[in-house]
């Protein structure tokens, strides 16, 4: 196998593209008759920061549990770094750091003792370097001062940080982070975002499950949207946003005239707010709209096109916003 | 991980408290005998009458008193908690993705429980020995066969008796481990394990089901007394230990089959 954090970097020119960090084929997990995950094909390229989005109850955490070998899939197969799972678990999982459904540690042990406990529990937990690795991981998440404190005395945000420290204890090629900023204050959220960007910069693939769309928008290169156990969209973040409906935003004092012109051009979903008017472009070229407005004598102060935010796209795709899917 | 698991478990306040209570039981017994003064009228538990003549017997009396209930209760707590406790803390999922390996984790848990069984019985013996030596005269140990052993040999037999008692709890520990793989609620696993021990003891007293008596895991819990005969009577002890091995094989295999295939949702 590759050395620590080896394969995750950008490949040298001329070498074949590395196997995806995560690849699933028709992966399904049913609980009784309910399909929690329903035949998904995920493709997470090496080196990407992959945002895994979906409303609560859409099957994100179940997917993560299957990927990490905690649940047996009902159907389908999956591979991590090109190795079939779960057969290759003992070789692949040591390279995977995970935060699954919040942190979990032994309340009667201190933060540092907990990290040592988990480090000792599996392969690659080199003992001579353990102390130093624990100190470094705690420093990276800002927990050095609380290292000797019992876990039960930790606040929610500190627990989350310790969970991240555990995921960073050894060099990783893949980080699977399920809602990593849960329970953190804005400062902590920003720190985690920087940490993720730093790790991604080192070539670590990050699989980030979240419902905080702005968070995903800021750090992710790729995104998949899941709802009711199915993947609704999967692409780079730029491609996904390009599929959403672009809007035209015009600023003018003659809003009513402008509205008539735009409606005549076939633009829909008009909204007027003071001197601003906005409408769905629906394939119309913005320059044609501009010309039509000027020809109609509308004094155009500004005219821009607005890309949909990830949230707009997300709501358009899932149709249900943030409500619990089931 | 072997060392880490043992350290982690024995560092728990709960485990320390259990061992302390177990050591306190024979000590308390010795103090009561000391305060009541003089040998009793022979109605107490086996070995208790001997305590005033020889402090070493406080350890054996302690084993006799704790083996029907106290010892199995604490073993049920530790065994029932083993997997279900990790599940309820959520640490099970992190151990498995570490990856600790399911078979390996189960084996480590089993060995830890076994170590606890032996430590628990030794704690009883140690508590009794210490209190007995402080409160009563010690000297050559009179066996149940009316011969005497040197003090050293007597203490050796006593510690051996503790180990036999610990080992005779292995079958129940295996049942507890198996039940612990079935649930994410540790208290449920503990209660179910204690319940089965009580059931086994009750059945052992019902003559209508005599046919199953040789197969009850509680049946040989008092066999350790045969170590205090001269020469030592091994028949009952070896029968009991063989039965414990059989229980470990059956319930260990069941626990393995369950744990290596189970969906971990906790």
């Amino acid at each position: 196998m590759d050395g620590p954090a080896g394969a995750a970097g950008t490949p040298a020119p001329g070498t074949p593209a590395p196997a995806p960090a995560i690849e699933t084929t028709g992966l399904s997990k049913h609980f009784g008759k309910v399909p929690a995950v329903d035949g998904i094909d995920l493709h997470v390229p090496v080196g990407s920061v992959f945002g895994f989005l979906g409303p609560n109850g859409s099957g994100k955490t179940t997917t993560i549990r299957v990927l990490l070998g905690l649940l047996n899939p009902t159907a389908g197969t999956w591979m991590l770094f090109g190795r079939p799972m779960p057969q290759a678990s003992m070789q692949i999982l040591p390279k995977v750091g995970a935060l699954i459904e919040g942190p979990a540690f032994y309340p009667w042990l201190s933060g540092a003792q907990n990290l040592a406990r988990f480090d000792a529990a599996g392969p690659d937990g080199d003992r001579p370097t353990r102390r130093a690795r624990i100190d470094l991981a705690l420093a990276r998440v800002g927990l050095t001062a609380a290292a000797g404190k019992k876990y039960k005395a930790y606040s929610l945000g500190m627990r989350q940080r310790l969970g991240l420290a555990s995921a960073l204890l050894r060099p990783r090629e893949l980080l699977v982070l399920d809602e990593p900023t849960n329970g953190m204050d804005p400062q902590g959220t920003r720190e985690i975002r920087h940490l993720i960007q730093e790790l991604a910069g080192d070539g670590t693939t990050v699989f980030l499950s979240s419902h905080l769309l702005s968070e995903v928008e800021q750090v992710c290169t790729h995104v998949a949207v899941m709802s009711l156990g199915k993947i609704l969209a999967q692409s780079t973040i730029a491609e996904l946003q390009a599929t959403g409906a672009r809007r035209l935003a015009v600023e003018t004092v003659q809003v009513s005239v402008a509205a008539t012109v735009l409606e005549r051009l076939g633009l829909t979903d008009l909204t007027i707010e003071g001197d601003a008017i906005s409408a769905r472009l629906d394939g119309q070229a913005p320059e044609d709209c501009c010309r039509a407005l000027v020809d109609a004598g509308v004094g155009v102060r500004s005219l821009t096109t607005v890309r949909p935010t990830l949230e707009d796209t997300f709501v358009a795709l899932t149709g249900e916003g943030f409500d619990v899917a089931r | 991980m072997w060392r880490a698991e043992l350290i982690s478990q024995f560092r728990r306040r709960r485990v320390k408290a259990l061992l302390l209570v177990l050591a306190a039981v024979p000590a308390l017994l010795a103090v009561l005998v000391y305060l009541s003064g003089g040998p009793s009228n022979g109605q107490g538990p086996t070995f208790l009458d001997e305590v005033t003549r020889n402090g070493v017997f406080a350890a054996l009396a302690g084993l006799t008193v704790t083996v029907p209930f106290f010892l199995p209760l604490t073993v049920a707590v530790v065994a029932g908690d083993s997997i279900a406790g990790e599940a309820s803390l959520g640490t099970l999922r992190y151990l498995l993705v570490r990856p600790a390996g399911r078979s390996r984790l189960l084996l480590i848990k089993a060995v830890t429980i076994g170590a606890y069984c032996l430590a628990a019985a030794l704690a009883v013996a140690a508590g009794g020995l210490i209190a007995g030596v402080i409160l009563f005269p010690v000297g050559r140990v009179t066996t149940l066969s009316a011969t005497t052993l040197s003090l050293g040999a007597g203490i050796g037999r006593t510690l051996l008796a503790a180990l036999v008692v610990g080992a005779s709890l292995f079958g129940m520990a295996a049942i507890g481990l198996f039940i612990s793989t079935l649930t994410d609620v540790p208290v449920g696993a503990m209660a179910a394990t204690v319940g089965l021990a009580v059931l086994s003891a009750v059945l052992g007293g019902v003559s209508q089901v005599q046919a199953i008596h040789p197969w009850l895991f509680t049946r040989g819990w008092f066999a350790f007394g045969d170590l205090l005969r001269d020469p030592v009577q091994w028949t009952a002890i070896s029968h009991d230990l063989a039965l414990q091995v059989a229980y470990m094989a059956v319930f260990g295999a069941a626990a393995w089959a369950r744990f290596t295939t189970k969906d971990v949702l906790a």
Side-chain angles (χ1 to χ4, degrees):
Chain A
M1 289 310 300
D2 309 279
T10 42
T15 55
I22 302 172
E23 187 161 44
T24 75
T25 313
L27 200 65
S28 297
K29 177 63 186 176
H30 296 204
F31 293 113
K33 285 194 174 145
V34 185
V37 176
D38 197 1
I40 64 169
D41 300 317
L42 266 177
H43 184 96
V44 178
V46 163
S48 64
V49 180
F50 195 100
F52 193 39
L53 293 169
N56 296 330
S58 57
K60 300 191 300 289
T61 299
T62 304
T63 304
I64 287 174
R65 282 179 177 270
V66 173
L67 289 177
L68 296 174
L70 293 171
L71 300 179
N72 306 302
T74 311
T77 59
W78 81 105
M79 293 199 285
L80 298 182
F81 296 103
R83 301 282 302 273
M85 293 286 288
Q87 295 85 335
S89 294
M90 292 309 279
Q91 289 81 47
I92 294 294
L93 288 184
K95 301 168 195 299
V96 180
L99 193 59
I100 318 145
E101 261 187 299
F105 291 96
Y106 302 94
W108 65 90
L109 297 179
S110 74
Q113 283 169 345
N114 264 299
L115 294 187
R117 168 92 173 82
F118 281 102
D119 196 51
D124 293 0
D126 181 40
R127 196 184 295 174
T129 62
R130 185 171 296 155
R131 189 70 246 173
R133 286 185 290 117
I134 288 173
D135 289 345
L136 184 67
L138 287 170
R140 280 187 98 166
V141 298
L143 268 185
T144 306
K149 218 164 141 178
K150 288 250 173 15
Y151 177 71
K152 63 181 161 217
Y154 276 26
S155 71
L156 185 58
M158 287 162 78
R159 292 175 178 204
Q160 195 77 14
R161 285 165 191 260
L162 190 64
L164 278 165
S166 189
L168 300 176
L169 207 48
R170 284 171 300 282
R172 308 289 201 179
E173 291 178 22
L174 171 65
L175 281 174
V176 177
L177 304 176
D178 191 6
E179 307 282 359
T181 56
N182 215 358
M184 285 203 176
D185 54 24
Q187 170 66 24
T189 306
R190 199 158 48 238
E191 288 173 29
I192 298 314
R193 196 160 60 225
H194 287 151
L195 191 60
I196 290 174
Q197 280 163 338
E198 192 184 309
L199 291 162
D202 294 342
T204 308
T205 309
V206 182
F207 187 75
L208 176 71
S209 148
S210 182
H211 63 268
L212 297 175
L213 296 166
S214 60
E215 186 175 292
V216 168
E217 204 162 16
Q218 285 180 63
V219 299
C220 292
T221 59
H222 293 66
V223 67
V225 179
M226 191 167 190
S227 180
L228 293 170
K230 290 187 192 300
I231 301 277
L232 299 179
Q234 178 174 207
S235 65
T236 65
I237 211 155
E239 278 165 11
L240 183 72
Q241 284 174 335
T243 63
R246 283 209 299 173
R247 292 180 74 86
L248 185 76
V250 179
E251 209 182 311
T252 173
V253 283
Q254 295 141 291
V255 279
S256 53
V257 185
T260 321
V261 173
L262 294 179
E263 269 182 343
R264 192 154 12 94
L265 281 168
L267 273 64
T268 55
D269 191 20
L270 261 70
T271 58
I272 297 169
E273 247 179 82
D275 289 347
I277 180 167
S278 143
R280 258 180 84 148
L281 262 174
D282 282 335
Q284 292 283 343
E287 51 270 35
D288 294 344
C289 301
C290 184
R291 189 177 307 118
L293 285 169
V294 173
D295 288 350
V298 176
V300 176
R301 286 180 179 169
S302 84
L303 183 145
T304 50
T305 59
V306 183
R307 281 206 175 284
T309 62
L310 191 57
E311 185 168 343
D312 297 333
T313 313
F314 179 87
V315 171
L317 277 168
T318 60
E320 64 239 333
F322 285 131
D323 294 338
V324 174
R326 64 170 160 244
Chain B
M1 187 196 181
W2 296 89
R3 217 174 64 111
E5 166 72 12
L6 278 172
I7 292 172
S8 166
Q9 287 301 322
F10 282 92
R11 204 177 256 165
R12 293 184 76 166
R13 193 179 292 171
R14 174 196 290 174
V15 172
K16 284 185 207 161
L18 288 178
L19 291 176
L20 211 63
V21 167
L22 284 171
V25 168
L28 193 68
L29 209 61
V31 169
L32 288 177
V33 170
Y34 180 75
L35 292 179
S36 68
S40 68
N41 53 9
Q43 288 185 343
T46 327
F47 302 120
L48 200 59
D49 296 341
E50 305 287 334
V51 171
T52 48
R53 283 191 287 273
N54 193 338
V56 173
F57 280 96
L60 292 160
L63 287 173
T64 311
V65 169
T66 52
V67 85
F69 193 70
F70 267 127
L71 266 175
L73 182 71
T74 69
V75 168
V77 167
V78 172
D81 188 60
S82 56
I83 299 292
E86 298 277 1
S88 78
L89 283 176
T91 44
L92 181 59
R93 62 176 183 267
Y94 286 107
L95 286 175
L96 293 183
V97 304
R98 172 57 188 87
R102 293 195 183 203
S103 302
R104 183 165 155 268
L105 182 60
L106 191 71
L107 188 64
I108 289 169
K109 286 291 178 189
V111 170
T112 309
I113 300 166
Y116 173 79
C117 290
L118 298 177
L122 283 172
V124 172
L129 276 176
I130 291 166
V133 166
I134 292 172
L135 297 175
F136 303 106
V138 287
R140 292 184 65 84
V141 174
T142 311
T143 66
L144 294 172
S145 317
T147 59
T148 61
L149 300 168
S150 71
L151 178 61
I155 290 176
R157 292 273 183 103
T158 304
L159 294 178
L160 190 59
L163 290 176
V164 166
V165 166
S168 70
L169 295 165
F170 284 176
M172 182 198 172
I175 294 173
L177 179 65
F178 169 62
I179 296 175
S180 195
T181 63
L182 300 177
T183 172
D184 295 343
V185 186
V187 174
M190 297 173 195
T193 310
V194 171
L196 284 176
V198 170
L199 181 69
S200 175
V202 167
L203 288 176
V206 177
S207 55
Q208 281 84 347
V209 290
Q210 218 150 21
I212 63 165
H213 282 183
W215 304 102
L216 295 172
F217 63 90
T218 51
R219 179 173 166 269
W221 281 359
F222 290 100
F224 73 91
D226 288 351
L227 284 168
L228 267 292
R229 297 185 195 282
D230 204 15
V232 174
Q233 300 289 306
W234 289 105
T235 324
I237 293 173
S238 51
H239 274 181
D240 176 46
L241 294 182
L243 184 67
Q244 301 302 332
V245 169
Y247 268 90
M248 283 160 68
V250 171
F251 285 94
W256 180 81
R258 163 72 182 161
F259 187 60
T260 50
T261 55
K262 117 179 201 159
D263 274 348
V264 176
L265 280 162

